[in-house]
Amino acid sequence: MSRPTIVLVYQRLSLPWVFEGARRAGIDIVLIPRRDEEIDPARLPEAVVEVLRLDLSDRTAALAELRRRHREAPFDGITTLCDPEVPFVAEVAEALGLPGIGSGTAQAAQDKRVMRERLAAAGLNVPGFVRLDGPDSETDASALTFPVVVKPARGFSSLGVVRVDRPGDLSDALAEVRRICRTNLGRAEDLIVEEYLDGPEYAVESLAYRGEVRVLSIGYKGEPTGPYFEETVYRAPAALPEATVDAIEREVVAAHAAIGLTDGPAHTELRLREGKRPFLLEMGARVGGSGVSHHIVAGAVGADLAADALRIAVGREPERTTTVAAGAAANYIVPCGGSGRITAIHGLDELRDHPSVDHLVQILHPGDVVRPYPDFTGYPAFVLSTHRSTAEAEQFHRHLDESIRIDYAPEGAES
């Protein structure tokens, strides 16, 4: 059987899991790198056989170029781990007759307004919400119970996500989120306002093939209360009663059906109201965290999420192979802890040879400017580790809370 080829959109080389998964799956990668990433041909991952520079801000021209490339040297699939590019990847797959989730499913997985409507229509747990369509639309939030959360409809990470405690503060919050969207997304984004969900937060990694959904892992994500929602931890498996695990799995499987996600990976984030009842925050049609979710699944349950997701993306059946799991896997997302121009990051170098640390991915460096939340600059670093238990992972994260610190100067200061 010949080696299939897949186009991989906007994957950073510093995040290795999908490249390693492609090698294990015997799949060649044509990489479309991010515009801001320098590529050293001598240091490309083994699976990358070609680098194709495309400007995805012009989707029509990018699709035309991919059509030309496919005619001259056909590829077997296209995928991305970058959430904003999921709809474009689905459009390309449809246009070229490649395996994919379909543009309708891609829209539902990326547009929180559509997702909420589909989940509600399927009878799933959904908070009260109103949608704001258009840059100048206003909302009557009188039917909602405050506090509420304002979100860009097609945002990512914590960009523009803000809790509003009083009706009188909503108008100012909407204006601020729209300003952030114009600055970061180049558009005055449509918004959604939904009732705030309290309770602990969890992430679920799943993989679907021809409508059969396998829930691979459930991990603890903390209990952020706002007003902003900076991510800090991810530890799996979560310590939950069997009945709660069953409720989460039922909700996630039903959400796959409601959104129409029958093939490929999903990264779902949810909250447990009163610690028992799952309410989905969002479901991404991709391997989460640009591949971090593979590390979590592999360390917690031994499944090869990255390789199987790529197999599905080129139209092959997942092999569902497993390895011996460490017992628990974790990601410590270094918190910004402030804003301004970074002058120093303390505590990372000491972790590079730590026996529990599998990967240390530094994304921000001295000289970079961090904007204050609810703006979103990026994550300073990921500290990915494996442990014998989630209790041990939690203890390690408490140590990192005390040992990692970022120093800032005012934004206008020289680096």
Side-chain angles (χ1 to χ4, degrees):
M1 184 180 295
S2 63
R3 291 174 64 90
T5 300
I6 193 166
V7 174
L8 176 62
V9 176
Y10 276 12
Q11 180 65 24
R12 292 194 184 280
L13 296 177
S14 59
L15 303 170
W17 304 279
V18 69
F19 300 109
E20 295 169 353
R23 177 181 50 79
R24 291 189 299 274
I27 296 173
D28 293 332
I29 290 176
V30 175
L31 175 66
I32 299 177
R34 293 173 182 261
R35 285 174 290 175
D36 61 350
E37 185 162 25
E38 296 294 329
I39 300 294
D40 180 355
R43 303 184 67 180
L44 286 172
E46 178 184 332
V48 177
V49 297
E50 181 184 344
V51 175
L52 180 62
R53 289 280 184 184
L54 287 182
D55 181 3
L56 300 190
S57 64
D58 185 344
R59 299 299 174 92
T60 301
L63 175 56
E65 177 61 20
L66 286 168
R67 283 184 186 276
R68 182 201 63 76
R69 170 63 175 74
H70 188 56
R71 285 195 304 268
E72 295 180 0
F75 44 89
D76 302 277
I78 182 169
T79 192
T80 187
L81 283 68
C82 178
D83 194 64
E85 304 309 326
V86 168
F88 174 69
V89 165
E91 178 186 355
V92 173
E94 284 188 330
L96 301 183
L98 301 173
I101 61 175
S103 56
T105 295
Q107 180 189 23
Q110 223 235 342
D111 189 322
K112 297 175 179 62
R113 301 165 302 170
V114 179
M115 182 180 298
R116 282 277 175 258
E117 289 169 348
R118 291 202 185 182
L119 295 178
L124 301 183
N125 296 327
V126 174
F129 70 95
V130 292
R131 53 183 293 164
L132 281 74
D133 302 335
D136 302 315
S137 58
E138 291 295 333
T139 182
D140 179 6
S142 59
L144 299 180
T145 300
F146 278 71
V148 298
V149 177
V150 177
K151 300 177 180 180
R154 295 178 294 271
F156 57 90
S157 300
S158 300
L159 175 71
V161 180
V162 58
R163 170 174 161 164
V164 182
D165 290 335
R166 294 177 294 275
D169 296 332
L170 182 57
S171 180
D172 288 344
L174 295 176
E176 174 67 3
V177 172
R178 286 190 170 113
R179 181 194 66 77
I180 288 171
C181 290
R182 284 193 297 270
T183 301
N184 291 275
L185 304 177
R187 61 179 184 265
E189 180 63 90
D190 300 330
L191 307 178
I192 185 170
V193 182
E194 59 188 37
E195 294 175 354
Y196 169 72
L197 294 167
D198 57 6
E201 189 169 322
Y202 295 87
V204 182
E205 310 302 342
S206 56
L207 189 67
Y209 180 65
R210 295 184 177 177
E212 178 191 349
V213 180
R214 286 193 304 144
V215 173
L216 300 173
S217 69
I218 301 172
Y220 176 71
K221 292 276 289 181
E223 195 167 349
T225 59
Y228 313 120
F229 297 88
E230 184 176 13
E231 295 188 71
T232 55
V233 299
Y234 185 5
R235 298 188 290 265
L240 290 167
E242 184 177 347
T244 304
V245 170
D246 290 344
I248 290 173
E249 291 185 351
R250 286 195 301 271
E251 200 77 3
V252 169
V253 170
H256 272 266
I259 292 170
L261 186 53
T262 59
D263 290 278
H267 172 78
T268 304
E269 298 185 353
L270 57 86
R271 288 219 174 191
L272 285 180
R273 271 194 166 172
E274 301 174 350
K276 297 179 181 179
R277 191 179 179 195
F279 282 71
L280 267 64
L281 298 173
E282 60 182 46
M283 172 179 276
R286 57 186 167 78
V287 176
S290 293
V292 168
S293 293
H294 169 83
H295 164 82
I296 296 292
V297 168
V301 301
D304 197 343
L305 173 59
D308 275 344
L310 290 173
R311 290 185 181 106
I312 293 170
V314 296
R316 295 190 173 180
E317 185 175 354
E319 292 187 0
R320 303 182 181 183
T321 55
T322 58
T323 60
V324 177
N331 180 24
Y332 183 83
I333 306 164
V334 174
C336 293
S339 61
R341 186 174 299 278
I342 297 175
T343 58
I345 302 179
H346 305 277
L348 291 184
D349 288 341
E350 296 84 340
L351 295 171
R352 298 188 189 278
D353 296 321
H354 192 285
S356 294
V357 174
D358 302 298
H359 298 277
L360 196 160
V361 182
Q362 186 169 348
I363 301 168
L364 299 180
H365 299 81
D368 289 332
V369 173
V370 174
R371 300 180 296 273
Y373 279 92
D375 210 329
F376 176 74
T377 304
Y379 304 111
F382 297 149
V383 182
L384 295 121
S385 56
T386 48
H387 307 268
R388 290 171 294 184
S389 66
T390 48
E392 185 179 284
E394 183 178 1
Q395 183 179 13
F396 181 59
H397 283 178
R398 286 198 296 266
H399 165 70
L400 298 184
D401 284 337
E402 298 173 355
S403 61
I404 298 177
R405 186 184 80 253
I406 302 178
D407 293 341
Y408 292 96
E411 181 176 336
E414 295 184 3
S415 58

